Amino acid sequence: MALHPPDLPLAAGQERIWRGQMKNPASPVYNLGIYVDIQGHLDPGLLERAARQVIDEAETLRAVIVEDEDGIRQRIGPVDPWTMPHIDLSGEQDPQDAARKWMDEEMARPREWGRPPQFSCALLTLAPGRHRWFGSTHHLVNDGYGSAVVVRRLSDVYTALSQGRDMADGALPPLRTLLDEEARYRSSAQYRQDQAYWRAKFADRPTPLSLSARTDPPTAVRRRSSATLDPAVGSALKKAADQAGTSWPRALMAAVAAYVHGVTGEKDVILGFPVAARPTFLTQVTPGLRSNIVPLRLQVEPWMTVQELVGHTRQEMRAALTHQRYRHEELREDLGILHNRKRLNGPVVNIMPFDYDLSFGRARGVMRNLSTGPVTDIDFVCYGSRPEEQGGVSLDLEANSARYTDHEFESHGHSFRAFLAALSGSPGGRTATGLSVAEVLDRGAV
């Protein structure tokens, strides 16, 4: 397809989402959501001004998706005049619950996708000096990482405005930054090396495991629970990671693999591993759709010690990250499973070990995730930076409600947390890292 200015090509993955949304135009399943819990004085007018600036900078939020006989393409368009709603919930009996219900209803609302603004936001006031800023966009034009980029830029612009500084410093790069880098990658030797690696890794076309016997596609309604990891569990994960010469997210990934093995009895465990796929600084500060899900294939043996399993996970994750830019849709097509809706992986483990603290002038905010896109099976979503500290790491479980009943979902949440707790004990003087996978599963009653 020949493109003419101001047309831009779609990023890899955008057409798949476009086609998926076209099958059910009113479905909100591709809505992404994030909110910031803000404490301190906040100027709503200044925040709206900052939001206008960020949307003006973030070209992907002003993208118009066009499809005709020449194909699908996008161009950057203007945004019609808009205002940011400011909703006062301070008079509600439970302002936090009211805010949660409002955000849930907004996330369930079908949006006009493919037309700007590809973004909606609102300020919810819970009490004097206590707010929640809500932002939502469509997965067609952004991903979870890009949403965090937008929110961080929002906090920077607000702070600059509140201090009378030049808000142009740190302006978001144009969308072409992502598209041009992707084009270079697809014509490179690295692309061919990545393709060869994944084709060899999955040449036997394994069937991924699930914690459910059902195979229904994602629905707009998901089951979700949130908890904060006990510092003792966080310390155990960190210790296991330290002894294996890696970081705690690898230990958590190993823990999920061991849990899936314990529930299913199978040793060949394939987890979905979301990655940013942004190799340069400029791509890391440009909003847009770029994330990928790589299939992490682990061999979990019951005789392995926890430390050995974490070490094995470290090696496999290192290789996966080296080849992370090869799209999972392309690999599914390579394997001949793209069009029969077969999957590459089972449960997804989305670990975001970033610093979620933000500054809005003198006010302080903590960023929280509401949704990073469709949940096909069950997702383990973990975010935070220091798991050994009180309140350091949050763990969300999200499940496809068409595959998991309330009872099944609650049972997995309880069982997985019990398994994590089993990692933090030391019966007979033995540390959990020296126990076998089978022993820890038995202690956790999995």
Side-chain angles (χ1 to χ4, degrees), residues 3-313:
L3 294 175
H4 305 283
D7 289 352
L8 298 171
L10 296 185
Q14 277 189 291
E15 184 172 351
R16 175 184 63 86
I17 294 175
W18 174 269
R19 299 298 183 199
Q21 184 72 83
M22 287 281 285
K23 292 177 182 178
N24 190 356
S27 173
V29 71
Y30 288 108
N31 285 353
L32 306 185
I34 201 166
Y35 75 91
V36 186
D37 195 347
I38 304 173
Q39 297 193 44
H41 173 72
L42 199 68
D43 183 334
L46 205 62
L47 186 63
E48 179 174 320
R49 183 181 168 190
R52 291 177 184 276
Q53 174 67 25
V54 173
I55 291 179
D56 187 58
E57 291 179 6
E59 290 187 345
T60 193
L61 302 182
R62 297 187 285 110
V64 181
I65 311 298
V66 179
E67 181 176 22
D68 54 26
E69 63 275 4
D70 293 328
I72 310 176
R73 58 200 184 279
Q74 59 186 328
R75 64 174 63 114
I76 310 307
V79 176
D80 292 334
W82 63 277
T83 59
M84 182 181 72
H86 181 194
I87 302 167
D88 189 352
L89 301 173
S90 59
E92 297 288 334
Q93 184 174 1
D94 187 340
Q96 289 196 58
D97 184 62
R100 186 70 185 194
K101 288 180 179 177
W102 187 93
M103 292 188 293
D104 287 344
E105 289 175 0
E106 183 67 15
M107 289 297 297
R109 180 181 61 83
R111 65 174 60 250
E112 185 180 1
W113 44 279
R115 293 288 183 272
Q118 304 275 10
F119 189 78
S120 64
C121 62
L123 178 64
L124 311 178
T125 294
L126 281 63
R130 184 70 186 276
H131 310 272
R132 284 189 179 177
W133 182 86
F134 164 85
S136 176
T137 188
H138 196 284
H139 202 14
L140 179 65
V141 296
N142 210 0
D143 54 33
Y145 186 101
S147 295
V149 170
V150 169
V151 175
R152 288 197 175 280
R153 178 58 181 159
L154 176 71
S155 73
D156 290 344
V157 172
Y158 179 92
T159 299
L161 289 171
S162 69
Q163 297 174 353
R165 293 188 287 106
D166 186 357
M167 62 183 180
D169 292 343
L172 300 173
L175 181 58
R176 274 197 177 276
T177 303
L178 290 180
L179 300 176
D180 290 349
E181 193 283 327
E182 184 174 80
R184 288 191 295 270
Y185 165 68
R186 294 181 67 82
S187 62
S188 70
Q190 183 64 51
Y191 173 84
R192 295 186 291 275
Q193 292 170 11
D194 295 346
Q195 181 182 59
Y197 170 83
W198 289 114
R199 283 181 174 181
K201 192 76 173 177
F202 287 86
D204 57 342
R205 293 173 174 79
T207 300
L209 301 173
S210 173
L211 302 182
S212 170
R214 291 178 287 278
T215 59
D216 303 68
T219 64
V221 179
R222 70 183 68 196
R223 308 196 191 283
R224 181 187 177 101
S225 68
S226 300
T228 299
L229 292 185
D230 187 286
V233 173
S235 294
L237 290 173
K238 189 174 185 303
K239 184 175 183 179
D242 290 344
Q243 292 182 348
T246 188
S247 59
W248 71 264
R250 272 67 170 170
L252 181 63
M253 187 74 72
V256 176
Y259 178 75
V260 173
H261 160 72
V263 172
T264 64
E266 299 294 334
K267 300 177 181 179
D268 190 6
V269 177
I270 307 172
L271 302 175
F273 175 31
V275 293
R278 296 167 183 257
T280 66
F281 172 76
L282 282 179
T283 58
Q284 291 166 13
V285 295
T286 306
L289 179 63
R290 191 58 186 273
S291 63
N292 191 22
I293 297 181
V294 299
L296 186 67
R297 192 171 187 179
L298 302 171
Q299 296 299 315
V300 184
E301 298 288 349
W303 48 261
M304 281 179 163
T305 65
V306 171
Q307 182 176 343
E308 288 171 335
L309 178 58
V310 174
H312 169 59
T313 305

Side-chain angles (χ1 to χ4, degrees), residues 209-216 218 343 345-348 374-380 398-401 403-404:
L209 301 173
S210 173
L211 302 182
S212 170
R214 291 178 287 278
T215 59
D216 303 68
R343 303 176 62 212
N345 57 270
V348 169
V375 177
T376 303
D377 188 69
I378 189 168
D379 289 7
F380 298 77
E398 299 181 343
N400 179 356
S401 60
R403 292 192 179 188
Y404 294 87

Side-chain angles (χ1 to χ4, degrees), residues 15 52 334 341 358:
E15 184 172 351
R52 291 177 184 276
D334 293 342
R341 301 180 69 178
L358 300 168

